[in-house]
């Protein structure tokens, strides 16, 4: 089910949600964007938001998959209490959220993040900084954010590699190191 | 110089922790020093050490210092540094190792000393280092100017404060829509001193998210809005910001993007690593220190410089983190704080 031996989580739903996150990552690649995709799932039953990178499309370097998915969830739910919905939702994303996205996801109170490969360049959930758990940020950024990693990380890296290879064969690639 | 004194109060630079004037920044490690039996052996001993026990990568360390003893002035020589010569850090055995044998008769009294392992980056660090062991110091003129805040001439400072005044004014316009708004941002192209966008904190204001759906967006911090409006000025952008953004917005309307720029005016896409770095070369004025999300958004957008008024807990450019000064992230930029601080504080 998973390509990484040290995951003991057994919910078959996780692989389904990750599978749909990969669909959006592949869509990003087809559009010439860094292939990262994600879905936001409410109460482990329903996808309420989806997103992929739109940095080139919008000419805005902050339009990462997570930010796009947050907007999508808001528009789909159309509720005055979106923060309550987020507190009951999990995010499934192919690559570790960057420092910016980790801070935004923590501040809107997403329940849990499941991600694929590490983001060695910008990762905010352990690779570069621990924005998700840093105790000093609780007052400003909200309660710590649960993160689980290593879901299909090789597949996520392969996607990134295929993107960067067409851009620049000498670029340093993220690794699947756990 | 009175103008320097005024500038000291007008602005301060937020440098990375490696520039801090404390012991941690210079990093003390254990060293082993010996005393020369006579000063006349100094050149002979040093020649030998340079050849057989060089302090590779530690060029800032002087090898000799003079010390006062009950026996008069003596020369003390640095033999080993823990990071380089882990195996030789033994007061009893160290004079018998083969590298030392040829000069053994000229040295005595081995003792441990504290050695500043990093070369001093500032004059203050130089003075700290010297308390432990003599080092050389190569002054970086730009860093010295940043520390003294004398980098900017008076007319530069006036321009900086003018732009911050506009950021304050922008926050005040936001306040009219919601009293909780306390953040204003102005993004400027310093090459031409052209305002590219202005924005206020919109978290508590209902605006269009997508396709006619209006809501308060918890992530519509002023910096995020201002970055999106820069994208808009280049034919991109995500949101309409209806009803706050007027179709023919002017600089003093609060939300503004410059619609007169040709989209090819600025070289914003870096072809070596596909992606839009829309703020390459731009300066950002923000009344309060940006949060982590906004700080990283500015880094992703590759801004040139950020000026802010007041610090805040959890801030990403000086308080909780100094994201702009990290060597492990792929873009660095300069940050200055305390710009019109008291005016920003009362927002
Ligand atoms: Zn991100
Ligand atoms: Zn912010």
């Amino acid at each position: 089910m998973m390509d990484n031996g040290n995951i003991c989580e057994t919910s078959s739903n996780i692989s389904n949600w990750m599978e749909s996150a990969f669909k959006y990552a592949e869509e990003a690649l087809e559009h010439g964007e860094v292939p990262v995709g994600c879905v936001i799932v409410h109460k482990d039953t329903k996808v309420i938001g989806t997103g992929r990178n739109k940095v080139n499309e919008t000419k805005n370097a902050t339009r990462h998959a997570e930010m796009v998915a947050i907007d999508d969830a808001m528009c789909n739910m159309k509720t005055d209490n979106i923060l309550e919905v987020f507190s009951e939702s999990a995010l499934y994303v192919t690559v570790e959220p960057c420092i910016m996205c980790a801070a935004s996801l923590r501040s809107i109170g997403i329940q849990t993040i499941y991600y694929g490969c590490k983001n060695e360049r910008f990762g905010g959930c352990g690779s570069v900084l621990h924005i998700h758990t840093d105790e000093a940020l609780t007052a400003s950024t909200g309660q710590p954010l649960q993160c689980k990693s290593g879901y299909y990380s090789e597949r996520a890296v392969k996607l990134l590699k295929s993107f960067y290879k067409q851009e620049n064969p000498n670029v340093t690639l993220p690794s699947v190191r756990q | 110089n009175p103008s320097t004194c005024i500038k000291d109060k007008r602005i301060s630079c937020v440098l990375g922790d490696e520039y801090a004037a404390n012991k941690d920044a210079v990093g003390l490690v254990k060293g082993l020093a010996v005393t020369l039996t006579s000063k006349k052996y100094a050149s002979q001993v040093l020649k030998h050490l340079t050849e057989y026990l060089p302090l590779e990568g530690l060029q800032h360390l002087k090898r000799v210092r003079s010390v006062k003893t009950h026996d008069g002035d003596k020369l003390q020589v640095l033999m080993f540094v823990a990071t380089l010569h882990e195996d030789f850090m033994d007061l009893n055995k160290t004079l018998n190792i083969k590298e030392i044998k040829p000069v053994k008769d000229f040295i005595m009294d081995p003792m441990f000393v504290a050695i500043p392992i990093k070369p001093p980056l500032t004059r203050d660090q130089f003075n700290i280092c010297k308390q432990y062991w003599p080092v050389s110091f190569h002054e970086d003129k730009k860093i010295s100017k940043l520390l003294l805040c004398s980098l900017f001439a008076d007319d530069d400072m006036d321009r900086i404060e003018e732009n911050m005044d506009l950021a304050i004014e922008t926050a005040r316009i936001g306040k009219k829509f919601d009293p909780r708004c306390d953040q204003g941002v102005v993004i400027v192209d310093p090459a031409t001193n052209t305002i590219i966008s202005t924005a206020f904190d919109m978290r508590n204001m209902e605006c269009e998210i997508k396709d006619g759906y209006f809501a308060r967006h918890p992530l519509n911090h002023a910096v995020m809005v201002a970055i999106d409006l820069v994208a808009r000025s280049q034919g991109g952008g995500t949101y309409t910001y209806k009803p706050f953004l007027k179709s023919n917005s002017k600089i003093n309307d609060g939300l503004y993007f410059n619609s007169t720029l040709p989209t090819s005016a600025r070289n914003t896409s870096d072809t070596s690593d596909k992606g839009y770095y829309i703020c390459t070369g731009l300066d950002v004025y923000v009344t309060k220190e940006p949060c982590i999300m906004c700080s990283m958004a500015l880094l992703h957008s590759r801004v040139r410089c950020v000026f802010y008024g007041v610090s805040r807990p959890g801030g990403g450019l000086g308080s909780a983190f100094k994201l702009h000064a990290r060597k492990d992230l792929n873009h660095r930029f300069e940050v200055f704080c305390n710009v019109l601080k008291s005016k920003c504080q009362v927002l």
Side-chain angles (χ1 to χ4, degrees):
Chain A
M1 183 172 79
M2 270 154 263
D3 61 12
N4 193 304
N6 49 28
I7 303 293
C8 24
E9 197 79 36
T10 50
S11 160
S12 65
N13 286 342
I14 294 178
S15 55
N16 291 337
W17 306 134
M18 281 306 289
E19 188 62 46
S20 32
F22 272 102
K23 235 177 51 202
Y24 293 97
E26 280 153 11
E27 188 188 298
L29 186 66
E30 285 159 23
H31 286 79
E33 303 273 357
V34 177
V36 180
C38 70
V39 296
I40 298 175
V41 180
H42 189 229
K43 293 184 171 171
D44 202 26
T45 50
K46 187 180 158 210
V47 173
I48 58 167
T50 66
R52 61 156 174 96
N53 267 15
K54 289 192 175 172
V55 166
N56 296 312
E57 186 181 315
T58 59
K59 301 190 178 189
N60 181 336
T62 72
R63 295 310 288 169
H64 290 183
E66 298 91 324
M67 307 297 268
V68 173
I70 289 168
D71 286 5
D72 192 44
M74 288 179 70
C75 291
N76 291 330
M77 299 308 280
K78 293 192 171 53
T79 163
D80 284 339
N81 205 347
I82 192 69
L83 292 184
E84 190 184 327
V85 175
F86 285 141
S87 75
E88 299 161 344
S89 301
L91 176 94
Y92 296 80
V93 56
T94 56
V95 180
E96 176 188 354
C98 74
I99 292 166
M100 173 187 76
C101 292
S104 66
L105 291 162
R106 183 170 169 177
S107 76
I108 62 168
I110 286 272
Q111 197 181 49
T112 313
I113 293 177
Y114 298 86
Y115 68 80
C117 68
K118 299 251 165 206
N119 179 345
E120 307 278 359
R121 295 165 83 194
F122 302 118
C125 301
S127 290
V128 178
L129 289 174
H130 295 77
I131 300 299
H132 61 315
T133 51
D134 193 324
E135 294 284 341
L137 296 178
T138 304
S140 59
T141 320
Q143 290 303 311
L145 186 55
Q146 264 199 67
C147 272
K148 297 178 181 181
S149 64
Y151 300 94
Y152 304 99
S153 54
E154 275 167 31
R155 183 173 168 191
V157 168
K158 215 178 270 173
L159 261 178
L160 289 172
K161 276 187 181 167
S162 59
F163 173 80
Y164 285 113
K165 236 183 258 160
Q166 68 196 32
E167 295 304 321
N168 180 356
N170 300 319
V171 80
T172 49
L173 292 162
S175 76
V176 285
R177 227 170 344 107
Q178 288 299 303
Chain B
N1 185 339
S3 75
T4 311
C5 293
I6 295 165
K7 261 177 274 175
D8 277 359
K9 285 181 196 142
R10 283 168 85 174
I11 193 164
S12 348
C13 184
V14 184
L15 288 169
D17 291 336
E18 68 269 32
Y19 293 99
N22 59 39
K23 273 197 287 186
D24 289 344
V26 298
L28 296 176
V29 303
K30 211 154 129 181
L32 198 153
V34 296
T35 305
L36 294 184
T37 52
S38 161
K39 284 184 180 177
K40 67 183 181 208
Y41 302 128
S43 68
Q44 200 177 339
V45 171
L46 282 178
K47 191 162 171 264
H48 180 79
L49 290 178
T50 311
E51 187 161 349
Y52 295 98
L53 284 166
L55 296 179
E56 270 165 45
L58 300 174
Q59 277 72 20
H60 65 290
L61 294 174
K62 302 257 168 92
R63 205 88 203 224
V64 191
R65 71 172 173 186
S66 65
V67 284
K68 289 194 195 317
T69 73
H70 58 275
D71 227 11
D73 284 359
K74 295 271 184 191
L75 288 181
Q76 203 178 38
V77 178
L78 179 60
M79 301 297 277
F80 311 113
V81 175
T83 52
L84 286 181
H85 311 108
E86 219 180 312
D87 300 341
F88 301 161
M89 302 302 286
D90 186 315
L91 290 179
N92 301 316
K93 290 187 204 147
T94 207
L95 297 188
N96 293 314
I97 67 163
K98 71 174 194 305
E99 287 88 344
I100 295 303
K101 283 236 167 88
V103 295
K104 197 186 164 195
D105 294 341
F106 312 139
I107 60 180
M108 58 183 186
D109 298 340
M111 64 176 286
F112 289 127
V113 289
I115 297 295
I117 198 69
K118 292 182 197 154
L121 301 173
T122 67
R123 191 155 290 279
D124 285 346
Q125 286 187 356
F126 178 50
N127 290 329
I128 292 170
C129 289
K130 280 195 299 191
Q131 295 168 19
Y132 297 93
W133 191 267
V135 297
S136 54
F137 172 48
H138 300 287
E139 186 175 19
D140 180 328
K141 290 268 157 54
K142 173 139 194 225
I143 293 298
S144 299
K145 281 185 172 177
L146 286 173
L147 284 165
L148 291 170
C149 294
S150 58
L151 190 69
F152 300 108
D154 284 341
D155 50 348
D156 289 335
M157 267 317 300
D158 294 343
R159 192 175 40 76
I160 289 166
E161 291 188 346
E162 246 169 59
N163 288 328
M164 186 59 89
D165 252 326
L166 180 58
I168 293 166
E169 199 42 50
T170 302
R172 286 199 186 120
I173 293 168
K175 240 183 198 356
K176 284 185 207 156
F177 299 114
D178 189 285
R180 283 165 289 184
C181 173
D182 62 353
Q183 181 81 301
V185 175
V186 170
I187 299 186
V188 178
D189 186 345
T192 52
N193 203 26
T194 308
I195 311 287
I196 311 293
S197 74
T198 73
F200 44 73
D201 183 357
M202 301 183 75
R203 267 175 286 187
N204 297 302
M205 300 171 198
E206 279 200 7
C207 70
E208 187 175 46
I209 308 296
K210 209 162 49 184
D211 305 330
Y213 175 62
F214 288 70
R216 292 165 195 206
H217 196 311
L219 303 179
N220 266 352
H221 297 195
V223 169
M224 302 303 279
V225 177
I227 289 173
D228 197 49
L229 290 174
V230 173
R232 182 86 170 264
S233 79
Q234 294 289 292
T238 302
Y239 306 101
T240 63
Y241 299 108
K242 281 180 194 161
F244 297 94
L245 182 64
K246 294 175 189 161
S247 56
N248 255 324
S249 70
K250 287 182 224 50
I251 285 173
N252 292 311
D253 288 343
L255 286 199
Y256 164 80
F257 69 94
N258 193 320
S259 54
T260 68
L261 301 170
T263 45
S264 59
R266 301 184 48 253
N267 181 21
T268 46
S269 76
D270 181 345
T271 48
S272 69
D273 185 0
K274 190 164 183 174
Y276 267 92
Y277 306 121
I278 202 77
C279 297
T280 301
L282 300 187
D283 287 354
V284 179
Y285 295 81
V286 46
T287 52
K288 257 196 333 185
E289 182 183 357
C291 71
I292 309 278
M293 172 183 74
C294 291
S295 301
M296 195 61 195
L298 292 167
L299 193 142
H300 280 315
S301 306
R302 310 260 168 117
V303 297
R304 189 189 79 141
C305 190
V306 173
F307 299 87
Y308 65 82
V310 283
S311 303
R312 70 145 113 198
L317 303 180
S319 296
F321 293 99
K322 293 174 177 168
L323 293 183
H324 61 289
R326 291 184 70 96
K327 293 206 166 69
D328 54 358
L329 297 174
N330 66 354
H331 177 65
R332 276 165 291 284
F333 50 95
E334 278 165 11
V335 171
F336 299 90
C337 64
N338 297 337
V339 184
L340 299 184
K341 187 179 176 181
S342 45
K343 262 175 131 174
C344 291
Q345 231 153 12
V346 297
L347 277 172

